[in-house]
Amino acid sequence: MFIQFTCKNCNDKKKNDIYEILGLLCQREQIQIEDTGDIVKITACPEGIIKVSEEDENVILSANTRHAGAGFHAFVIDLCRDLEEELADPEGKYDMLDDLKFDDDGDFDRLQKLFEDEAEYLRGVLLDNKRFRSQNYLYEEAYFLPLEKEGYIHTIAGSIPVLEMMEKDTQELMDYFFIWNDWEKDARFYRNCALYLLTKEGVGKYAMMNEHTEKQARLICDYIELAYEKDAKLPLPVDEYDELIHELDRENKLENPVLMDRAVDQYKKKEVYHLYKDLKVVADGASERNVDYVSDSICLMSPFVDENWDYLIQASHSSSILLRVEEVEASPSKTMGRKGVQVIDYEENGIYYVEGKLVEKNDTMFIRSICSDAKWIPYLKRCIQESTFQKE
């Protein structure tokens, strides 16, 4: 489920032509194209990313289509062919690599069947292998994982009971694993985009916390409104929409919409594992994330509404982030599962500190937390105790 399209032997003029044509094609399709410095990214839908890079005299378009679905796979092939046609270079050399061979036969029914087989494979593994459920099969790129939920399986459209997962027919199952399942961008596509973003990026009352959370909230509303515009009878996440338009002070554009019969499990509205290297640090899912490369640590600032944050959590393999490392290592070790956990707390000048060390076999993690109100100390201790390590 990978596509790579290579434009060979491109001089500077042809490279400029490629980027200009791609910009026009994205404008036609009403999708985003942005230059990130190292590469150009084309965003066709959530998880539907086409990367444009240069290698010597070649310009390469590549996309992993496994997470977005059959519709995205077909879209990438069409976009590459449109680019080749618009370049109108009779001497141009182009290589297309499509591991699903859709570029050869254009048989969308066959392509859909391949993604159906993938969905059935994922269902089987998730039902049989609890360890697989705790790994990142949900997203191509993610900095967090939902906490395990007994009796439930996490999907890109929210958590569902194991029994329900077993009983779903294949067609219904597709929307729990992929976003773009049909050729056209129909109402179902736009609802899937909204459900995906709610599940991965929904932060509820913290929607206006920063530029990223506000952007995601607006995108979610856009997708829900587009789904309603395409099919007003399609059940939609109306409660979540109402919450977001309230936070965004946005006009309600849904008139008597049909309410979905299940709630959306927004992972970031609760505690999650924040990922950094092989560390899984427990904290509120809406926490702001930064990386301190000097101390090689992840820093998580509590979410906020009025710019006043409550606590900061810092985690690293290095003990240098602790202020009282000797006291931590001299404190009693509590066995929690397969981990040994040592935690202390103290106060200095009205600031409260919680510091800890986790050891599991050959893995070690140090965590330092600070807050200005002692009421957060039990919570911060629990975050330390529940943090763990990523396993292959």
Side-chain angles (χ1 to χ4, degrees):
M1 298 176 173
F2 178 78
I3 297 170
Q4 181 170 293
F5 181 71
T6 305
C7 303
K8 294 185 172 182
N9 303 325
C10 300
N11 55 28
D12 289 342
K13 180 182 183 306
K14 187 171 182 179
K15 288 181 180 179
N16 290 334
D17 289 344
I18 288 171
Y19 291 118
E20 183 176 350
I21 291 170
L22 285 175
L24 293 172
L25 291 173
C26 291
Q27 185 177 358
R28 181 193 73 186
E29 299 293 333
Q30 295 184 311
I31 58 178
Q32 179 181 336
I33 181 170
E34 60 177 331
D35 187 347
T36 64
D38 296 333
I39 62 171
V40 169
K41 289 175 62 176
I42 297 172
T43 304
C45 71
E47 289 296 296
I49 308 296
I50 304 170
K51 299 177 182 178
V52 188
S53 58
E54 296 183 22
E55 186 176 310
D56 298 326
E57 299 304 311
N58 301 330
V59 176
I60 302 169
L61 281 70
S62 61
N64 175 0
T65 65
R66 180 179 301 275
H67 297 271
F72 175 61
H73 193 98
F75 174 83
V76 177
I77 295 296
D78 284 352
L79 187 76
C80 292
R81 292 305 185 206
D82 286 349
L83 172 62
E84 182 178 353
E85 182 179 338
E86 292 294 331
L87 283 170
D89 183 359
E91 298 180 358
K93 295 182 179 179
Y94 308 97
D95 279 348
M96 175 74 82
L97 169 64
D98 176 3
D99 62 358
L100 300 186
K101 307 301 181 184
F102 179 74
D103 66 311
D104 289 339
D105 62 16
D107 187 342
F108 190 73
D109 289 338
R110 182 186 65 82
L111 183 65
Q112 280 183 313
K113 182 62 171 61
L114 292 174
F115 277 88
E116 288 173 8
D117 292 345
E118 176 70 8
E120 288 292 355
Y121 166 76
L122 285 171
R123 179 189 356 221
V125 176
L126 287 166
L127 290 172
D128 295 339
N129 190 334
K130 287 188 176 182
R131 184 173 176 182
F132 184 75
R133 298 181 200 174
S134 66
Q135 296 176 339
N136 183 26
Y137 78 94
L138 292 171
Y139 314 115
E140 181 178 0
E141 296 177 354
Y143 292 121
F144 81 97
L145 286 176
L147 297 184
E148 288 83 359
K149 190 176 178 181
E150 186 65 32
Y152 284 78
I153 291 177
H154 297 307
T155 77
I156 65 168
S159 302
I160 61 174
V162 170
L163 183 60
E164 187 177 334
M165 171 69 79
M166 293 173 62
E167 295 177 343
K168 285 190 179 297
D169 64 59
T170 303
Q171 286 301 312
E172 189 179 5
L173 191 67
M174 299 293 284
D175 290 339
Y176 285 88
F177 293 130
F178 313 117
I179 296 170
W180 194 343
N181 291 305
D182 295 304
W183 184 278
E184 299 292 339
K185 291 182 178 179
D186 56 8
R188 179 180 165 209
F189 163 80
Y190 288 114
R191 182 180 67 179
N192 285 351
C193 289
L195 292 176
Y196 169 91
L197 287 181
L198 280 166
T199 304
K200 185 184 179 186
E201 303 289 354
V203 294
K205 66 181 180 180
Y206 301 116
M208 301 299 288
M209 183 171 63
N210 56 44
E211 184 178 331
H212 175 77
T213 53
E214 181 181 351
K215 177 183 177 182
Q216 299 306 313
R218 295 190 185 282
L219 272 174
I220 292 165
C221 293
D222 289 344
Y223 284 134
I224 293 172
E225 289 163 3
L226 284 166
Y228 177 81
E229 185 179 313
K230 292 279 186 180
D231 182 0
K233 295 181 179 180
L234 183 72
L236 296 172
V238 178
D239 291 342
E240 291 78 8
Y241 175 78
D242 288 344
E243 178 183 40
L244 288 179
I245 62 172
H246 171 74
E247 297 297 334
L248 296 168
D249 193 21
R250 177 173 174 142
E251 177 189 358
N252 188 335
K253 296 184 179 180
L254 310 186
E255 185 176 348
N256 298 319
V258 179
L259 180 66
M260 288 176 59
D261 60 2
R262 64 178 177 84
V264 178
D265 196 353
Q266 298 180 73
Y267 301 138
K268 285 192 174 182
K269 291 182 74 173
K270 59 195 78 175
E271 279 68 49
V272 302
Y273 290 122
H274 294 268
L275 308 180
Y276 180 66
K277 296 187 174 179
D278 67 337
L279 307 182
K280 295 168 68 175
V281 184
V282 171
D284 191 302
S287 298
E288 288 201 313
R289 168 197 172 98
N290 288 290
V291 173
D292 182 349
Y293 293 102
V294 175
S295 61
D296 191 20
S297 63
I298 179 177
C299 301
L300 302 167
M301 186 171 69
S302 66
F304 53 83
V305 173
D306 56 3
E307 299 186 3
N308 294 316
W309 54 273
D310 295 309
Y311 57 81
L312 176 72
I313 298 174
Q314 183 179 17
S316 175
H317 286 294
S318 172
S319 63
S320 64
I321 66 170
L322 302 187
L323 301 181
R324 297 189 179 183
V325 62
E326 294 87 358
E327 288 186 34
V328 172
E329 294 187 329
S331 65
S333 179
K334 181 178 181 181
T335 300
M336 304 191 69
R338 293 176 295 180
K339 303 187 304 256
V341 182
Q342 297 166 279
V343 180
I344 66 168
D345 66 271
Y346 58 94
E347 180 266 336
E348 282 187 0
N349 301 320
I351 303 297
Y352 299 90
Y353 298 82
V354 182
E355 298 191 347
K357 176 182 179 181
L358 284 73
V359 178
E360 184 176 337
K361 293 184 178 179
N362 296 323
D363 298 317
T364 304
M365 183 192 319
F366 297 91
I367 301 181
R368 179 173 73 97
S369 306
I370 64 172
C371 59
S372 58
D373 192 324
K375 72 177 183 179
W376 290 105
I377 291 176
Y379 174 77
L380 294 173
K381 284 185 176 181
R382 182 164 62 83
C383 287
I384 292 175
Q385 293 167 350
E386 294 181 358
S387 297
T388 184
F389 302 90
Q390 297 191 67
K391 304 297 180 185
E392 295 297 330

